[in-house]
Amino acid sequence: MADRLTIMAVHAHPDDEVISTGGVFARYAAEGIRTVLVTCTNGEQGDAPGGIKPGQPGHDANAVREQRLSELRESTALLGIEHVELLGYRDSGMDGWDGNQDPEAFRNVPVGDAAARLADLMRYYRPQVVVTYDENGNYGHPDHIQANRIALAAAAASDIPDKLYYTAIPRESTLEVFAALRAQGAVDFEPPEDFGTPMDQITAVVDVAAHAQLKVKALEAHGSQGDSVPFLRMPSDLRQTIFGTETFIRHFNRVTAAPAQETDLFAGLR
């Protein structure tokens, strides 16, 4: 597996692959780079058909799992993701949910155990570039935080990746977009002022505008999940603005030729 440039993204749930990395997956797949998605959980704490939440009557975790994995297969095919690896852990749910207490939930799995499995995948695929969430899981989700922990541990144990990035939500532009959406009545959600990452902390801005419509289609594939609805209801110009670039913070780098500010996660590697 050492013959090609390879990107591996470590995500927590089915659908997480789309918003922050769907564009780079589609772009790099089109460029002939090997694309690998590792999805840590099966998404059992997602919405059941009709928007039924965990704990509500009619929520069947097993049925939700099958639905979400089916949606994942459709989404990854649209994005051109070449290899999908499922770690198969149980979705923990949001912080404070009853699912947090399940001993089989991803958040409760020993980091070393899950990291060892991920390290084996790194040794097999040999990704020069790995992408995951920051230490807070971008917004505090326990499964995102756990994904960060095992990705860092696996990268250290395998000594394979040359670069590791955290996904980042650009604060300034995101607040502007939500202000515009509220003015149009499209959303009633107002992010806090400290939402996202200031642009001066972002080290990579990747142009994926040519693949923005694929991101929309991949998000539509995860139609059972209500979280995707606000993005799909956005006016097309705002959606293109949001989906046209993806931003990252470079957590570590062993590539001497890589610039401090990047427009390509493989800068210095090709």
Side-chain angles (χ1 to χ4, degrees):
M1 284 286 179
D3 59 329
R4 287 169 61 190
L5 291 178
T6 301
I7 181 172
M8 173 185 284
V10 181
H11 280 295
H13 312 99
D15 78 2
D16 288 334
E17 78 282 353
V18 181
I19 294 298
S20 58
T21 57
V24 292
F25 268 137
R27 170 178 163 168
Y28 290 137
E31 293 176 5
I33 289 172
R34 181 187 293 116
T35 50
V36 183
L37 168 65
V38 179
T39 300
C40 298
T41 81
N42 295 324
E44 293 91 344
Q45 293 290 306
D47 293 353
I52 299 172
K53 304 294 184 183
Q56 295 179 339
H59 188 279
D60 182 338
N62 292 330
V64 171
R65 177 189 64 220
E66 296 309 311
Q67 176 66 38
R68 297 198 71 184
L69 293 179
S70 174
E71 292 173 341
L72 180 67
R73 288 190 291 270
E74 183 179 353
S75 168
T76 55
L78 287 164
L79 297 172
I81 298 174
E82 191 171 347
H83 301 278
V84 180
E85 296 285 351
L86 305 177
L87 296 187
Y89 293 113
R90 195 166 183 83
D91 189 346
S92 307
M94 297 290 288
D95 191 33
W97 287 15
D98 290 346
N100 295 176
Q101 308 309 314
D102 188 330
E104 296 184 4
F106 183 43
R107 69 174 292 166
N108 298 323
V109 173
V111 170
D113 293 353
R117 296 178 61 196
L118 182 57
D120 284 343
L121 292 174
M122 290 183 181
R123 294 185 186 102
Y124 180 71
Y125 290 108
R126 306 194 70 79
Q128 294 87 357
V129 172
V130 169
V131 180
T132 191
Y133 316 100
D134 65 18
E135 297 92 339
N136 190 46
N138 288 132
Y139 62 95
H141 194 299
D143 287 336
H144 290 215
I145 293 170
Q146 185 78 329
N148 163 273
R149 291 170 177 162
I150 73 164
L152 293 184
S158 67
D159 198 32
I160 297 292
D162 294 310
K163 297 177 173 183
L164 189 144
Y165 294 87
Y166 294 159
T167 60
I169 302 170
R171 178 178 298 172
E172 295 85 351
S173 61
T174 300
L175 292 176
E176 290 174 3
V177 166
F178 272 96
L181 290 173
R182 288 196 307 277
Q184 297 174 18
V187 299
D188 57 9
F189 171 68
E190 183 173 358
E193 291 185 1
D194 62 352
F195 181 80
T197 302
M199 278 302 299
D200 62 6
Q201 296 178 23
I202 288 173
T203 61
V205 179
V206 182
D207 181 358
V208 296
H211 307 283
Q213 288 307 305
L214 277 178
K215 287 184 67 171
V216 172
K217 291 182 181 299
L219 199 59
E220 290 173 342
H222 291 285
S224 70
Q225 301 309 299
D227 290 347
S228 66
V229 171
F231 292 101
L232 297 175
R233 288 180 177 169
M234 288 179 180
S236 58
D237 58 335
L238 285 177
R239 197 165 56 204
Q240 181 71 25
T241 298
I242 289 177
F243 286 0
T245 58
E246 290 176 351
T247 51
F248 305 88
I249 299 170
R250 195 171 67 197
H251 178 65
F252 76 69
N253 169 49
R254 300 193 295 193
V255 181
T256 56
Q261 294 293 320
E262 299 174 312
T263 58
D264 176 9
L265 301 186
F266 288 90
L269 288 165
R270 55 176 176 168

